[in-house]
Amino acid sequence: MMNVCFRLAQLGVVAGGGWLLVQGFPVLGICVALLACWYWLLDRMANRVVRGNTEPVSEDTSSFHDGCFIADLHADICLWRRDLMRKNRRGHVDLPRLREGNVALQFVTVPTKLVISRRFPRVFFRDLFFWGAFMSLQHPATWFSTSARVRLQLHRLESWIAQSGGAIRLVCSRSQLDELEGCRERNEGVIGVMLGLEGAHVLRGGLDVPWLAGNGFRVVGITHFNDNQFGYSAHGLRRGGLTQAGRKLVQELDSHAITIDLAHASAELIDDVLEMHGQGEISRPLIVSHTGIRGVHDHRRNIADDHAVAIAGTGGLIGISLFAPALPRADLAALGESVSYTVKLLDDAGIEGARHVAIGSDFDGAVRTVVDASGWERIAGELMKPAYGLTPKQVEWIVGANTRNFFADNLPD
Ligand SMILES: [Zn+2]
């Protein structure tokens, strides 16, 4: 039904552009007509892949990668209007590319808002997601409402799962993860998806933590690019940690078996959550689903070294991302450097580093990544290079086994 509405809206826009053209407004007519393919252009421009990673992968690497359980902690796949059943030339993820990448478990994370506060005066609609929804001819409810954006992305995920005929399965519980592992061992080609939320600002009105838990969300980031009612963002305008509402939210998420993701959180917010963990107010391990590490690249979207140590110390995961500025440069060697640095950092702190580092690609997160979802073989090949000092077993953990084991321990029954 939504697709029919979209096609009708597209036809309407093209007809409107044509009408303006014949009325003697050629530039305006062409601009209006371009609206019909804006969603395509936006996806293509925003989600790019670094060129030049064409070096052939050795047979040894290829067979090693075939035996790995590949898992990705973070990707914004359902944000985009894209046919996920066929191989696209835009974006980073679709079913054929997940298969090429031998991906076993893929997070589908839901972002809903990005307000540019500094550059635009208040009179403008400053939320980039408004413009994305409007220009992509999405349902008008999603132009303004973050909860409608959550529901739309859930709807896209449900459609993808339904179309896949069993090839894609939602994983919400430990038994579903066990089933997925069984399918992978039997080479049935099934791919598990898990749901995450990027930014808890949506939790108002109709949406609350029980709703998230009931709809399969198993990871929630407190803040995204903006400060919100629960706390402050690493990218926000003011400094601060958790608010009172934020403290309650953290406890409620923990009690609903939802893992707290500290990606994009301010340093003070990370301190507050760690303090709550230290005082036993929450018990579940913490993660940073997609980040870089300050000791390698000092950028505010990256996590400080001592925070990485403290988060791993809760039994958590540090998901290294696949783009600059999470990485110091947008290339595979920069990923290798970041991963090996983080492993060594944790080892030096007395934590077995290779058990706590994972990959959180941020595919389809409006970033230029070093590979797309078909390129996991290259990631494994890079991490196997002797320069990084990682054993094949450790690489296997980092490219997926750590993520699988973490959720095997932390998903509800
Ligand atoms: Zn993000």
Side-chain angles (χ1 to χ4, degrees):
M1 184 62 193
M2 274 178 122
N3 270 341
V4 173
C5 292
F6 172 66
R7 293 294 168 210
L8 287 174
Q10 254 186 329
L11 276 175
V13 167
V14 171
W19 182 81
L20 285 167
L21 203 67
V22 296
Q23 294 299 313
F25 303 101
V27 176
L28 189 62
I30 289 167
C31 287
V32 169
L34 274 178
L35 271 177
C37 63
W38 169 251
Y39 74 101
W40 182 90
L41 272 173
L42 188 67
D43 189 3
R44 185 152 189 136
M45 289 186 303
N47 299 308
R48 290 176 298 146
V49 182
V50 174
R51 290 177 186 212
N53 285 325
T54 50
E55 211 181 298
V57 174
S58 72
E59 266 184 40
D60 281 354
T61 300
S62 201
S63 60
F64 168 77
H65 163 259
D66 287 347
C68 291
F69 184 100
I70 301 289
D72 180 6
L73 267 179
H74 188 101
D76 301 335
I77 303 163
C78 291
L79 176 59
W80 309 92
R81 187 189 289 282
R82 192 185 306 148
D83 179 356
L84 294 170
M85 291 303 293
R86 68 177 184 86
K87 187 167 180 175
N88 292 271
R89 293 187 62 179
R90 64 182 200 272
H92 298 136
V93 182
D94 44 47
L95 180 56
R97 282 184 283 183
L98 288 173
R99 282 184 168 144
E100 274 178 56
N102 188 32
V103 176
L105 184 62
Q106 174 65 62
F107 257 88
V108 174
T109 314
V110 175
T112 57
K113 192 175 179 183
L114 200 177
V115 176
I116 299 181
S117 314
R118 293 171 198 268
R119 295 185 190 160
F120 288 89
R122 281 191 175 274
V123 288
F124 277 75
F125 293 105
R126 299 176 304 169
D127 180 4
L128 287 190
F129 280 67
F130 161 78
W131 292 105
F134 172 70
M135 303 284 270
S136 304
L137 307 175
Q138 275 178 199
H139 191 288
T142 66
W143 296 0
F144 304 103
S145 161
T146 53
S147 59
R149 293 169 193 167
V150 175
R151 291 176 205 278
L152 173 69
Q153 290 181 52
L154 270 187
H155 171 77
R156 284 177 178 163
L157 178 61
E158 282 160 10
S159 305
W160 187 28
I161 290 171
Q163 284 170 32
S164 77
I168 304 278
R169 287 188 194 169
L170 187 63
V171 173
C172 302
S173 66
R174 201 171 300 163
S175 59
Q176 286 169 335
L177 185 58
D178 289 344
E179 268 172 46
L180 173 69
E181 276 202 79
C183 292
R184 299 293 304 183
E185 278 161 18
R186 295 191 297 276
N187 281 324
E188 289 174 13
V190 176
I191 297 165
V193 292
M194 286 187 64
L195 260 173
L197 181 70
E198 194 163 25
H201 49 266
V202 297
L203 294 174
R204 53 174 83 224
L207 295 198
D208 54 18
V209 173
W211 186 92
L212 287 180
N215 280 276
F217 285 86
R218 293 294 177 262
V219 168
V220 168
I222 310 296
T223 53
H224 191 199
F225 274 101
N226 301 110
D227 304 328
N228 62 36
Q229 66 271 39
F230 302 111
Y232 294 84
S233 162
H235 321 267
L237 288 177
R238 290 191 291 149
R239 310 303 312 163
L242 281 172
T243 62
Q244 270 314 316
R247 287 181 178 276
K248 277 191 199 147
L249 174 70
V250 164
Q251 284 174 324
E252 201 179 355
L253 291 170
D254 195 64
S255 67
H256 280 82
I258 293 176
T259 297
I260 292 159
D261 181 3
L262 293 169
H264 295 288
S266 69
E268 295 86 344
L269 195 153
I270 296 174
D271 285 336
D272 287 349
V273 175
L274 283 167
E275 189 189 310
M276 288 179 73
H277 197 279
Q279 292 176 351
E281 292 176 59
I282 52 172
S283 59
R284 292 176 180 281
L286 306 165
I287 67 166
V288 192
S289 66
H290 59 305
T291 186
I293 184 104
R294 292 265 179 108
V296 176
H297 186 46
D298 189 9
H299 188 279
R300 69 174 169 172
R301 66 113 36 245
N302 294 340
I303 194 156
D305 292 18
D306 55 346
H307 280 155
V309 169
I311 290 164
T314 67
L317 291 177
I318 312 296
I320 302 292
S321 224
L322 299 183
F323 66 96
L327 303 175
R329 308 174 308 279
D331 60 42
L332 281 165
L335 173 68
E337 287 162 28
S338 298
V339 166
S340 66
Y341 176 91
T342 312
V343 169
K344 186 164 184 322
L345 172 78
L346 302 179
D347 282 344
D348 289 348
I351 301 165
E352 191 181 0
R355 290 279 194 188
H356 296 272
V357 177
I359 304 291
S361 66
D362 208 6
F363 286 146
D364 292 327
V367 289
R368 191 172 70 122
T369 50
V370 295
V371 291
D372 64 13
S374 67
W376 282 88
E377 205 174 46
R378 294 185 185 284
I379 293 175
E382 183 66 29
L383 297 181
M384 293 281 275
K385 288 183 178 171
Y388 306 121
L390 300 167
T391 65
K393 198 71 201 163
Q394 289 176 323
V395 173
E396 196 181 329
W397 293 339
I398 291 164
V399 297
N402 286 340
T403 298
R404 177 198 60 202
N405 294 343
F406 178 90
F407 288 102
D409 290 342
N410 289 290
L411 281 175
D413 290 329

